[in-house]
Amino acid sequence: ETGVTQSPTHLIKTRGQQVTLRCSSQSGHNTVSWYQQALGQGPQFIFQYYREEENGRGNFPPRFSGLQFPNYSSELNVNALELDDSALYLCASSSGTAGRYEQYFGPGTRLTVT
Amino acid sequence: GIQVEQSPPDLILQEGANSTLRCNFSDSVNNLQWFHQNPWGQLINLFYIPSGTKQNGRLSATTVATERYSLLYISSSQTTDSGVYFCAVVLTGSNSKLTFGKGITLSVRP
């Protein structure tokens, strides 16, 4: 059984650019959530996708957007990058929504915005 | 929104010692998970424990949902236990997001 995978591992972008991060969910999982973790903080919820539909969103601006594909993999897109977007981005997958199912996290993508 | 407080914020132990990590939450929850974050950032699942007690080797956890707290016990600590421990909850009635505490940084010295 393959766990949650994320790509790329590291990324350096310039302020104002756009970035796409990718996540492949664990086999059998239909729900993907994205989290942002700033240095020294706990992860903060960005949004969740359940069966290709957005199913909850945290306090992040619209320039953070996402997509889930029929195979349940997912993308996180961030437009007009700001310096404060520098963080570890974590993807989690589960058999259903977070309220009822255990969440499993990928290794993360470390984004640096200069 | 729901508040999640973890204590103590930092913990230093000698190898072989036991410890208790605490997580308090401000409202009713229907999901609670404990994670260990390794130095590379990976969140490793320790327990899925909305209520009751579970044990896995040297680790055990107890959640008393009615009193809004959870405890993680580490016995006979090893240097590999070092890292940050997070508690995360899902508010009852919400079905999407895990709300994390700020974490507890554990250092186990040889």
Side-chain angles (χ1 to χ4, degrees):
Chain A
E1 181 180 276
T2 305
V4 182
T5 60
Q6 293 186 242
S7 63
T9 306
H10 296 88
L11 203 51
I12 300 175
K13 288 287 189 177
T14 301
R15 189 172 51 184
Q17 286 187 318
Q18 179 266 343
V19 69
T20 297
L21 310 181
R22 294 178 175 83
C23 171
S24 290
S25 60
Q26 187 168 314
S27 176
H29 287 183
N30 57 19
T31 303
V32 171
S33 303
W34 287 92
Y35 291 79
Q36 179 196 67
Q37 186 178 19
L39 203 59
Q41 302 294 318
Q44 298 289 316
F45 175 74
I46 303 175
F47 41 58
Q48 180 180 90
Y49 279 85
Y50 172 61
R51 294 183 175 178
E52 303 180 61
E53 297 287 332
E54 188 178 289
N55 179 52
R57 187 180 181 92
N59 189 26
F60 281 81
R63 58 190 185 83
F64 285 76
S65 63
L67 198 58
Q68 187 178 32
F69 300 99
N71 66 355
Y72 303 127
S73 65
S74 177
E75 287 182 353
L76 165 65
N77 298 291
V78 187
N79 294 321
L81 283 167
E82 301 177 359
L83 297 178
D84 285 349
D85 296 333
S86 294
L88 179 67
Y89 288 85
L90 295 162
C91 163
S93 79
S94 61
S95 301
T97 56
R100 297 182 60 193
Y101 295 90
E102 187 171 1
Q103 306 291 297
Y104 295 87
F105 282 81
T109 294
R110 196 167 295 278
L111 172 65
T112 302
V113 182
T114 61
Chain B
I2 190 168
Q3 304 299 313
V4 181
E5 295 182 359
Q6 294 186 245
S7 61
D10 300 282
L11 193 54
I12 300 174
L13 298 175
Q14 207 64 31
E15 198 168 26
N18 303 328
S19 61
T20 300
L21 285 61
R22 187 176 182 98
C23 173
N24 291 335
F25 41 95
S26 60
D27 213 329
S28 174
V29 301
N30 57 16
N31 180 0
L32 188 147
Q33 292 187 240
W34 282 97
F35 298 94
H36 176 209
Q37 189 165 42
N38 67 21
W40 299 271
Q42 173 91 52
L43 281 171
I44 298 164
N45 288 41
L46 298 178
F47 293 101
Y48 170 72
I49 186 165
S51 63
T53 297
K54 291 186 178 180
Q55 181 155 6
N56 184 5
R58 296 182 296 105
L59 273 59
S60 64
T62 295
T63 297
V64 184
T66 53
E67 297 187 20
R68 299 181 183 169
Y69 74 88
S70 183
L71 302 173
L72 176 68
Y73 305 96
I74 304 175
S75 64
S76 304
S77 58
Q78 301 175 358
T79 56
T80 52
D81 294 332
S82 297
V84 183
Y85 288 79
F86 286 103
C87 164
V89 303
V90 177
L91 178 68
T92 297
S94 165
N95 64 356
S96 58
K97 73 173 185 178
L98 278 170
T99 299
F100 283 77
K102 292 185 177 180
I104 296 170
T105 300
L106 174 64
S107 299
V108 181
R109 296 181 173 171

